[in-house]
Amino acid sequence: KMIEINTLSFSYGRKELFSQLSLALHSGNICGLLGKNGAGKTTFLKLLAGLLFPQGGNPLILGERPADRSPRFLQELVLLPEEFSLPPVSPLQYQKLYAPFYPRFNPQLFSDYLNEFELDPNQKLDQSSFGQKKKFLLAFGLSTDCKLTLLDEPTNGLDIPSKRQFRKALASVLTEDRLFIIATHQARDLESLIDPVVILDEGQVIFNHSLLEISKRLTVRMEAKSPGLSEGIYSEKTLEGYLVVAENTTAQETHMDLELLFNAVIQNREAVSSLFQQEDAK
């Protein structure tokens, strides 16, 4: 396990955000972290990075406590936040300043990403557009070869071609000893990459399953009429009819839209949880 968290608790003053939160994640995956606004996705990433400190249940990442901020831990961590500021230096100057903190930084890969993302290696970063700044941070972060990369809304601010470039770049650097955690509202931008799916709600991890588990236990079908309460776990009205999420009783796999899955879990948490527990017990 790269990440092991047991009974983590965290509060902002008197406002409790996480209570008894537990989670284990393995390397070799791109984990999608989903949750409603205010569920604590950004806070969770900061706790993993050691930028915030839990009141209880310290996480262990690669055997280290993030709150200790040890050099051995930090050289294996990259956090790409949703909100950021960049210094008035060029990408090449930034590389000279910060690449030495990462022992396996790949200069050639960084140069390739700058070219792929159409970024001028000599243009001052503070004079770039938000989308250009975002692509620069993605290029630098992916070039570090860190074992843990945390990304907070990485596709915000990117146009459609840039999103495609990002998906291609991320898929190309995933190895068995690296873990990527992506906190996002834009699930459809990344659903071709995300596996497993982790959902936060009400201070807990309420869902943590691989796409294989999901496809085995849940199915999606289109119905002409609104289904009854006993006919599915969740349904959404569309122009073509009703999309229904139901228990998979046929062993046939269907494509599960991540936004549809998220809504099903949030709206009918107990039914989804019960179904997966029943399958685990078999």
Side-chain angles (χ1 to χ4, degrees):
K1 298 174 185 176
M2 180 177 287
I3 294 178
E4 190 165 8
I5 303 170
N6 292 306
T7 62
L8 181 143
S9 59
F10 179 81
S11 302
Y12 285 110
R14 295 182 178 179
K15 181 183 178 182
E16 184 178 70
L17 185 58
F18 299 131
S19 173
Q20 304 294 303
L21 183 151
S22 297
L23 178 66
L25 293 173
H26 297 265
S27 59
N29 294 305
I30 301 173
C31 171
L33 183 64
L34 310 181
K36 295 183 291 187
N37 289 334
K41 298 186 297 298
T42 296
T43 298
F44 185 72
L45 294 187
K46 289 181 177 179
L47 286 164
L48 294 181
L51 297 175
L52 292 173
F53 309 114
Q55 278 81 50
N58 275 306
L60 281 179
I61 299 176
L62 296 167
E64 303 263 354
R65 295 195 323 159
D68 293 340
R69 304 284 290 173
S70 72
R72 186 169 59 178
F73 167 74
L74 293 175
Q75 71 182 19
E76 296 294 351
L77 168 77
V78 165
L79 169 63
L80 303 181
E82 182 180 12
E83 298 179 1
F84 55 85
S85 60
L86 291 174
V89 298
S90 70
L92 292 182
Q93 290 171 320
Y94 190 98
Q95 176 189 345
K96 185 176 180 180
L97 287 168
Y98 293 102
F101 290 104
Y102 303 99
R104 297 185 303 280
F105 186 86
N106 188 329
Q108 183 58 56
L109 188 60
F110 182 54
S111 177
D112 292 344
Y113 283 143
L114 293 181
N115 182 60
E116 175 74 14
F117 289 150
E118 300 178 337
L119 299 173
D120 183 345
N122 296 302
Q123 179 180 339
K124 294 292 180 66
L125 292 170
D126 62 331
Q127 298 173 4
S128 302
S129 69
F130 179 78
Q132 289 173 321
K133 292 176 180 176
K134 197 68 168 285
K135 287 190 287 186
F136 162 75
L137 283 177
L138 292 169
F140 185 85
L142 295 180
S143 301
T144 62
D145 195 27
C146 284
K147 291 185 177 178
L148 177 61
T149 302
L150 309 174
L151 304 103
D152 195 359
E153 301 291 355
T155 57
N156 277 4
L158 298 184
D159 56 22
I160 292 175
S162 297
K163 289 177 182 180
R164 179 189 59 79
Q165 291 170 332
F166 168 61
R167 289 192 294 267
K168 178 182 175 183
L170 187 57
S172 70
V173 296
L174 178 64
T175 59
E176 286 301 313
D177 61 350
R178 299 186 76 176
L179 172 64
F180 296 85
I181 301 179
I182 303 178
T184 184
H185 288 99
Q186 311 295 327
R188 285 176 179 158
D189 286 344
L190 298 162
E191 66 179 7
S192 62
L193 295 173
I194 288 173
D195 188 15
V197 179
V198 173
I199 298 177
L200 290 177
D201 193 47
E202 297 180 349
Q204 301 282 337
V205 172
I206 65 168
F207 190 87
N208 175 20
H209 296 285
S210 69
L211 293 184
L212 179 59
E213 291 176 306
I214 294 167
S215 65
K216 283 183 176 180
R217 300 172 190 186
L218 295 174
T219 189
V220 180
R221 63 175 185 263
M222 183 69 72
E223 299 281 358
K225 297 181 180 180
S226 178
L229 293 176
S230 61
E231 297 178 37
I233 293 171
Y234 175 76
S235 68
E236 282 185 9
K237 192 177 188 314
T238 70
L239 293 175
E240 294 81 18
Y242 290 85
L243 269 177
V244 180
V245 178
E247 180 181 357
N248 187 352
T249 58
T250 65
Q252 294 182 343
E253 297 183 8
T254 56
H255 172 69
M256 175 64 71
D257 179 292
L258 286 187
E259 290 188 9
L260 185 66
L261 171 67
F262 174 78
N263 289 334
V265 174
I266 292 295
Q267 295 297 323
N268 205 343
R269 171 178 168 181
E270 290 186 3
V272 174
S273 177
S274 175
L275 175 60
F276 277 79
Q277 288 175 358
Q278 289 173 12
E279 292 292 332
D280 287 337
K282 290 181 180 179

